[in-house]
Structure formats: C-alpha cells, structure tokens
Amino acid sequence: MTARLTRGTRRDTRPAPSGFDRRLVAPMVLGSVLNPINSSMIAVALVPIGIAFGAPPAETVWLVTALYLATAVGQPVIGRLVDMYGPRRLYLVGTALVGVAGLMGALAPSLGMLITARVLLGFGTSAAYPAAMRLTRSEAERTGQDSPAGVLTALAVSSQTVAVIGPTLGGILIGAGSWHLVFAVNVPLSAACLFLGVKWLPRAAPSGRRGRTDLAGMALFAILLVSLMLFLMGPRPDRWYLPALSALAAAAFAARELRVPDPFVDLRVLGGNVPLVVTYVRQLLAYTTSYAFLYGYTQWLEQGRGLSASATGLVLLPLSATALVTATVTGRREAVRGKLVAGSVLQIAGCAALLTVGDGSPVPLLLAVGALLGIPQGLLGLAAQTALYRQADPDRIGSAAGLLRTFMYLGALSASAATAAFYPHRADTGGLHGLALFMLAGSALLLAITLPDRSLARLTPIPRQAVRKA
C-alpha cells in the first residue's frame, strides 16, 4: 500500500511518513473550499449583477441554482470516478476547469454567459472533496492508524470558514472593483490548486474496482433535478408537465440503478445502510436552512434594509466568527449526536429570532441574528461529515462523500427555490419573514429525526486492527 501511494509522483525522494502525510492537507483543503467560496461570495453579488443586467431576483437566483444543479449531478459522478481511477487526475482536471470558469465569468457580457460560467464552476468544484475523503481513507489504510479527526476537522473548518466569510470577501471585492472580481478570484485559486496538486498528490492506483460509467443513470438523475427545479422556481398550472417528467425520471432512475452492475448511485447499498440514508436527509435539511439564510438574509440586508454590498458583508462577519470558533473548539470531539441536537435547537432559535427583524432594525440586532445562526453552521456540517466517515463503505468513500455533498447542494437548491418564491420581485421584510417560517419548519424536522436516532450513539473510531485489515 505504501509503495502504491508514493511511487514516482513527487519530485522529492523522501519516504512517506509513518503518520498521516501532512503534505496532502494543503491541496485537500484548498481544493475543498472552492465550492463553498463560490457558493457564498455570490450572495452579495446578486443585487449588483441584477442591476447591471436589469434582472429581478427571480432571474438572478439562477446564478445560485445553476451551480447547485451542476454540483448535485457532478459530485456523485466524480466521486464514483475517484473511487475507480484515483483522486489525482480528477482533482487536477476539476481545479483547472474552475480557472476557466472564473475567467469566463469575469469577462461575461450577459447574464446567460454568467449562468454558463456558474455551471462550469459547479462541475469543476465537484472533484476536490471526494478526492480528499479518498486520500484520508487511503492514508488510514497505509498507516494502520484510524485517526482522521484532525484532518476531517481541517476540511470541515476550512469549508465552514470560507462559506461564512464568503459574503464578506465578496463585499470587499465588489467594493474594491466590481462584481466581476467575484468570478476572477477563481483564477489564482485554481492556479494554486494545480501547483499543490501536481507537487504533492500521489499517483495512487485505484482501490475500488473499475466498471462502466453509468451515463444513462447520470442523464436520468439530471433530468429529475432540472425538471423539478424548473417547476419549483416558477410553479404554475401550465407547467404541470415538469413535476410529471421529474416523477417519471425518478422512477426510471430507481429501476435502472437497481438493475445495472455499476450504478451511478448504488441504491442497493443505501437501502441496506439506513443510518447513512438518514445522515443524507439530515444534510439536506440542515443546509436548506443554512443556504436560505445566507441568500435570503443577504439580499434582504441590501434591498429591504438598504445596506451596501460592502456593509452587508461586514454585518455577516459575526456569522463567520461564531461558525469558525464553534467548529474549531468542537472539531476534535466527534460527539455526533450532541452536535446534531445542539445545532438543530440553535437553528430553531435563530429562525425565530429572524422573525423579529424589520426595515428599521438596529445593526446590533442584525449582527446578533447572524452570530446565533453561525453556531449551528459550525456544528451540523462537521457532525454529518464525521457520521459519513464512520457509516460509509470504505471502498466507496469517494462516491459516498460526493453524495453527501449532493444532498448539501439539494438543500441549496431547495433554498434557492424558496428564496425565489418569497422574493418574486424584491427582497422585502414580508418575504424574509415567510422565508424564516420555512426555515423554522425544516429545523424542527431536523431535530425530530435526530432525537430518536440511537445509531448515532454507536459511532466510534474504528479499531486499528480493522483499519489494517481494510
């Protein structure tokens, strides 16, 4: 195993360390934050972009939806390819595509071109996280030491941190130049990922068995999502065919995935692993609330409260700070059930607090609401990631991790649809309060499916002997 992970790829000839190879952390972390930074920076750019192209919120929200449709399909696809062919080549191709998409967005002459760039960003950012989870598992097998808490914490904290400071960074970039910089920043980030990836990522032989790529399954999954989102973004009686098409695609997708030997999503494995399925559902619920707040509250601060993009970014700083501190302080203690319960309760409290804000709310109240909702963001994402690491089949950790991110993006898509529904013309206070009630219901459901789940108490580190056997 050691030779397989280290042969012929690094220019230095030092032997691999006996513990986790810390040289892998930088490319893993930097690549994994490409998606959350692009997910969050766009929040403060939606209004300026809408002004530039004369588009209402119901149209600019496709800048959010396009990225998440692409990633919802791309994450499990690329995760499966990582399991089949190894992480290095997928990581390099994906991060290169991010640079191309960033340049396209910075130079885009129309909203349609911007949406196309966001689709490319979605596919490009889908590789790094499954690659990181595969490398983490491979290092545990190589060293015989199941001690990934520090690495998993680094991945979660970095993603959480970038996701919550993204609006602040986006506001600074817009204030320094224009919304074009929100796209252009991907070019140097892509270059850094390529440099670190070429230098440190090993040419590892694939640990999972190769098989045919399930193109038909991927196509059916894409049809399911796109038709459903087209309906949810503008539900009208004359669009009845869209949910019908989505239902037909879902039925055909399930029938195919249960029949083919190498499915896009192995529904048979999911059916036999109920705790993992519930983890995916929790991920969906947690991130529906998280992204509804990120996009809904940010647009309201600019349009309903009348703040500039730069000022809005600063108001969201307490969200960043509390999420970062929470994830850092609690990261090395797995305590999955405790984090999920506490995060759910605090999300409920934050959604209730959101109902108290209005057009004339003082800035300290706006800061306090963001600070409160930052705490569950620091708890829930890390808890889901740790649960997945313990629950997933080691040979399919890449595809399982990709699917976890897919459910996160499905939550973002749900949040996008809700934002478009509650803000049909502009982000006013009435729409914000309706969105808060929607978030409150999702958070209550998250708590309801977490409290009775006894399997969470049994999630413990894998014994060293079991790791060696794997």
Side-chain angles (χ1 to χ4, degrees), residues 379-400:
L379 292 171
L380 296 174
L382 184 56
Q385 180 177 266
T386 303
L388 173 120
Y389 188 85
R390 299 299 177 199
Q391 295 165 338
D393 177 358
D395 288 336
R396 282 183 170 265
I397 190 68
S399 51

Side-chain angles (χ1 to χ4, degrees), residues 248-280:
L248 287 174
F253 175 74
R256 176 177 176 78
E257 300 306 277
L258 290 172
R259 188 179 69 253
V260 298
D262 291 290
F264 166 46
V265 176
D266 195 341
L267 298 180
R268 289 162 295 193
V269 172
L270 291 181
N273 193 342
V274 175
L276 182 59
V277 173
V278 177
T279 291
Y280 287 141

Side-chain angles (χ1 to χ4, degrees), residues 14 91 121 160 177 243 275 297 340 361 441:
R14 292 174 296 174
Y91 178 97
L121 275 173
Q160 291 282 352
Y297 191 56
L340 288 171
S361 294

Side-chain angles (χ1 to χ4, degrees), residues 146-172:
D146 182 58
S147 55
V151 178
L152 294 178
T153 299
L155 291 173
V157 169
S158 59
S159 294
Q160 291 282 352
T161 302
V162 168
V164 294
I165 69 171
T168 303
L169 176 60
I172 293 171

Side-chain angles (χ1 to χ4, degrees), residues 7-348:
R7 67 170 179 246
T9 61
R10 298 168 186 164
R11 294 183 179 178
D12 65 293
T13 57
R14 292 174 296 174
S18 58
F20 189 96
D21 189 348
R22 297 293 171 180
R23 296 171 295 184
L24 300 177
V25 174
M28 286 167 57
V29 167
L30 186 58
S32 295
V33 304
L34 290 175
N35 190 277
I37 197 170
N38 279 287
S39 302
S40 55
M41 283 194 303
I42 197 69
V44 293
L46 293 175
V47 171
I49 290 172
I51 294 172
F53 294 113
E59 293 181 15
T60 57
V61 76
W62 277 102
L63 291 167
V64 177
T65 303
L67 183 140
Y68 288 124
L69 281 173
T71 48
V73 176
Q75 282 280 348
V77 171
I78 297 176
R80 182 73 179 115
L81 295 177
V82 165
D83 285 332
M84 292 166 61
Y85 300 106
R88 177 187 168 96
R89 68 183 71 179
L90 276 305
Y91 178 97
L92 295 177
V93 171
T95 52
L97 187 57
V98 169
V100 173
L103 187 61
M104 179 186 296
L107 302 175
S110 66
L111 182 62
M113 184 64 75
L114 276 183
I115 293 173
T116 301
R118 293 283 289 179
V119 171
L120 292 180
L121 275 173
F123 285 118
T125 59
S126 293
Y129 182 70
M133 293 295 281
R134 164 53 63 187
L135 286 166
T136 301
R137 173 64 69 177
S138 297
E139 283 293 280
E141 293 173 357
R142 179 182 67 80
T143 61
Q145 298 174 1
D146 182 58
S147 55
V151 178
L152 294 178
T153 299
L155 291 173
V157 169
S158 59
S159 294
Q160 291 282 352
T161 302
V162 168
V164 294
I165 69 171
T168 303
L169 176 60
I172 293 171
L173 291 173
I174 293 171
S178 70
W179 58 263
H180 297 84
L181 294 180
V182 170
F183 288 85
V185 73
N186 285 290
V187 177
L189 288 175
S190 171
C193 286
L194 289 172
F195 173 78
L196 291 171
V198 169
K199 185 174 179 61
W200 296 124
L201 294 187
R203 291 184 189 274
S207 58
R209 67 183 180 91
R210 297 192 182 194
R212 293 183 178 180
T213 303
D214 182 15
L215 296 178
M218 297 174 191
L220 288 169
F221 188 66
I223 292 170
L224 187 165
L225 286 181
V226 172
S227 57
L228 181 61
M229 284 307 302
L230 285 172
F231 178 75
L232 292 176
M233 298 297 286
R236 299 197 308 267
D238 62 341
R239 292 186 170 186
W240 61 269
Y241 59 90
L242 289 173
L245 177 60
S246 183
L248 287 174
F253 175 74
R256 176 177 176 78
E257 300 306 277
L258 290 172
R259 188 179 69 253
V260 298
D262 291 290
F264 166 46
V265 176
D266 195 341
L267 298 180
R268 289 162 295 193
V269 172
L270 291 181
N273 193 342
V274 175
L276 182 59
V277 173
V278 177
T279 291
Y280 287 141
V281 174
R282 275 193 287 261
Q283 181 88 334
L284 169 67
L285 293 172
Y287 279 93
T288 296
T289 296
S290 177
Y291 279 108
F293 177 75
L294 178 63
Y295 296 122
Y297 191 56
T298 301
Q299 289 186 75
W300 175 81
L301 286 172
E302 293 185 58
Q303 291 190 321
R305 187 60 174 76
L307 301 179
S308 67
S310 299
T312 296
L314 294 174
V315 167
L316 292 173
L317 274 178
L319 177 77
S320 312
T322 56
L324 173 60
V325 170
T326 301
T328 303
V329 170
T330 65
R332 288 191 174 273
R333 294 186 66 253
E334 294 200 354
V336 173
R337 187 177 188 278
K339 291 176 182 177
L340 288 171
V341 171
S344 303
V345 170
L346 289 170
Q347 266 198 350
I348 291 172

